[in-house]
Amino acid sequence: MPRSSARVPFALAAALFLTACGGGVQGTPGAPGVRDPYFPRAGNGGYDVTHYGLALSYDPGSRELTGRAEITARATQDLSAFNLDLKGLDVGSVSVEGRGARWNRTGQELTVRPPGDLDRGETFHVRVGYSGTPETITDPDGSEEGWLRTADGALALGEPTGSAAWFPGSHHPGDKASYDIAVTVPAGLRAVSNGELRSETSGRGRSTFRWHTAEPMASYLAMVAIGRYDIRRSTTKSGLPLYVAVDPAEAKASAKVLARLPEILAWEEDAFGPYPFSAAGAVVDDADGVGYALETQTRPVFPGAPDTATLVHELAHQWFGDSVTPESWQDMWLNEGFATYAEWLWEEEHGGDTADETFDALYRGDYYDDPASGEAVWAFPPARPSGAAHISDSPVYERGAMVLHKVRETVGDTAFRRIVRGWAAAHRHGNAGTADFTAYVEKKAPDRDFDVIWRDWLYGDGRPSRP
């Protein structure tokens, strides 16, 4: 059949085009990552999550996880589609504003196409139903995270990207949200998560624990611990509720250190300012294979009985890392440098080495018995890790703490205390980067010169010279 040569008037053609495309402002897909320098596919562009409502059911026998995620977000651009990070697991349904949405998956990206465009500034609700056997993820540095099986249950840990193994979301530190997490497990087990326990119900051989976190939390700090735990509830002298869960196998070994939790929190409040959350506590599991403690928000997780220094470190993260969260994984030293320096300060004030002595030993290279560990401190600058596999290496921790000690030397103890407390207050429940920190220090001590500290200790290669 020959093609018609009839011409459609321009105005009519334009109207037909707009009608076919949905009319009005046309949205574009949100980015599938936020271009983090070390994890470029982490997080997603085009929206900001404000709340996660997670309903999880887990059976350690079958290893089957069933989940429903209800996500509230605000569009930061006109959106025709957006992505969620989710590793493994089978997606059964996706809806936006209560209407079924088209979706597809590529790797860790769950791409959602809502029934209609989302306008910039619009708040929208997404529901994802999913199930399957959640993955254990091996990080670039060889450590494991994600969903970790234990002898009687599981640990869900997320630094840096493991939370994507158990719920869909925008998994980058820059996108913080409040959380409601409900976990259903077989009767006899407990499910512990972040924040405050709102309810605990049982019936038909199952128990459900509902946890609420009102303050903003980065997804890598969300956690779930499932198992048989001895539970201790108490309050600090200031009225802060404490919830501590301990595997019975670790109860005796951890009792003495955990008894100091209120004391350590009080000391850190004096050093860093008011505690930033509405609850505190700890989880001590019997999980030797995990190999690390983690500063999960309000309730750090320990794979065995912690020592005092480790408890000081992970609790300090509640201010530095959890409340003041890094803008990107390149800013990791703002987490670990502060938490490590908290250990130094604790030792200094409790009969141990002074911070000067610890600094000098690290500088000389005899802090560690192994000379290679001493040299590792200088492998790269703390503000410029050499790759994703090294964001938790010694320069980020020890050399990061050394940067803070140099600031203290420069401004004096009184001003340093004001800077530390002020930094925690200025970015409370927010995100901040290295440039924010250096600018803050310079603003608070304008009569001091920090150029050598930033150039040689924070960004410089190798061991700096000491005048």
Side-chain angles (χ1 to χ4, degrees):
M1 183 177 181
R3 177 183 243 177
S4 170
S5 60
R7 301 182 64 185
V8 180
F10 176 79
L12 177 59
L16 289 172
F17 175 79
L18 289 174
T19 299
C21 294
V25 176
Q26 298 304 299
T28 56
V34 295
R35 298 183 180 179
D36 184 274
Y38 298 102
F39 299 92
R41 301 288 285 184
N44 297 284
Y47 66 92
D48 173 60
V49 178
T50 57
H51 183 72
Y52 289 96
L54 305 177
L56 309 174
S57 179
Y58 182 67
D59 184 346
S62 66
R63 307 184 196 178
E64 180 80 8
L65 175 72
T66 301
R68 185 183 71 248
E70 297 186 358
I71 301 167
T72 303
R74 181 180 59 84
T76 57
Q77 67 180 62
D78 297 320
L79 282 173
S80 61
F82 59 89
N83 284 30
L84 298 168
D85 301 318
L86 182 65
K87 296 182 178 180
L89 299 173
D90 300 316
V91 175
S93 63
V94 180
S95 64
V96 179
E97 291 299 293
R99 300 169 61 193
R102 292 183 296 133
W103 55 272
N104 68 281
R105 300 187 69 181
T106 303
Q108 74 171 39
E109 301 296 333
L110 170 61
T111 302
V112 179
R113 293 174 177 80
D117 282 4
L118 301 170
D119 297 332
R120 181 179 180 181
E122 178 181 351
T123 295
F124 61 98
H125 302 85
V126 185
R127 177 178 286 194
V128 181
Y130 58 99
S131 62
T133 303
E135 295 183 3
T136 296
I137 297 166
T138 301
D139 291 335
D141 66 0
S143 60
E144 292 186 336
E145 55 164 335
W147 196 268
L148 306 170
R149 293 188 67 218
T150 60
D152 56 2
L155 284 175
L157 302 176
E159 185 178 328
T161 63
S163 295
W166 56 282
F167 69 95
S170 183
H171 293 291
H172 185 268
D175 196 350
K176 301 172 73 170
S178 58
Y179 282 73
D180 283 288
I181 301 177
V183 187
T184 300
V185 294
L189 299 182
R190 304 192 71 89
V192 184
S193 190
N194 312 86
E196 301 174 63
L197 180 62
R198 287 294 176 86
S199 69
E200 176 183 338
T201 57
S202 297
R204 297 184 179 181
R206 308 283 283 174
S207 297
T208 299
F209 301 82
R210 293 179 172 84
W211 295 86
H212 175 69
T213 299
E215 301 90 356
M217 178 167 69
S219 64
Y220 83 91
L221 298 169
M223 72 87 179
V224 170
I226 297 169
R228 302 184 188 278
Y229 299 111
D230 293 336
I231 304 299
R232 191 185 75 186
R233 301 190 200 196
S234 60
T235 57
T236 65
K237 291 181 179 179
S238 63
L240 180 70
L242 302 179
Y243 187 101
V244 177
V246 182
D247 187 294
E250 298 294 331
K252 183 177 180 180
S254 62
K256 186 176 180 180
V257 170
L258 290 178
R260 304 191 73 177
L261 198 152
E263 174 194 357
I264 294 169
L265 283 172
W267 177 83
E268 292 186 339
E269 281 199 286
D270 183 64
F272 311 139
Y275 181 74
F277 304 113
S278 61
V283 175
V284 179
D285 215 326
D286 182 17
D288 290 340
V290 174
Y292 58 87
L294 194 61
E295 64 269 23
T296 42
Q297 190 161 306
T298 68
R299 197 155 289 111
V301 172
F302 304 91
D307 58 22
T308 300
T310 304
L311 186 58
V312 168
H313 183 108
E314 302 305 336
L315 291 176
H317 273 308
Q318 305 307 304
W319 285 262
F320 308 110
D322 295 12
S323 176
V324 184
T325 304
E327 286 183 345
S328 82
W329 290 111
Q330 186 167 352
D331 302 306
M332 184 75 156
W333 81 275
L334 288 170
N335 291 16
E336 302 302 348
F338 269 102
T340 301
Y341 201 65
E343 294 182 56
W344 297 11
L345 293 175
W346 173 271
E347 283 296 309
E348 183 174 78
E349 295 184 23
H350 291 81
D353 289 345
T354 66
D356 272 336
E357 290 170 334
T358 302
F359 182 101
D360 289 343
L362 282 165
Y363 188 83
R364 291 191 308 267
D366 56 14
Y367 180 82
Y368 298 103
D369 293 334
D370 176 18
S373 296
E375 285 301 315
V377 172
W378 313 105
F380 55 79
R384 197 176 290 133
S386 54
H390 303 290
I391 62 170
S392 294
D393 283 4
S394 181
V396 173
Y397 288 67
E398 280 76 29
R399 191 168 166 185
M402 295 175 88
V403 169
L404 296 175
H405 193 68
K406 295 296 293 184
V407 172
R408 179 183 174 187
E409 285 183 335
T410 301
V411 302
D413 287 356
T414 301
F416 180 74
R417 176 184 172 85
R418 287 199 299 266
I419 286 172
V420 170
R421 290 172 62 93
W423 171 252
H427 296 281
R428 183 181 174 96
H429 301 317
N431 293 86
T434 300
D436 297 312
F437 178 73
T438 57
Y440 183 86
V441 171
E442 291 172 0
K443 180 181 178 181
K444 294 301 178 180
D447 58 336
R448 298 290 190 269
D449 184 1
F450 298 96
D451 287 350
V452 172
I453 299 176
W454 308 150
R455 185 193 68 212
D456 295 351
W457 293 88
L458 185 57
Y459 286 107
D461 292 320
R463 189 195 312 258
S465 61
R466 294 184 70 182

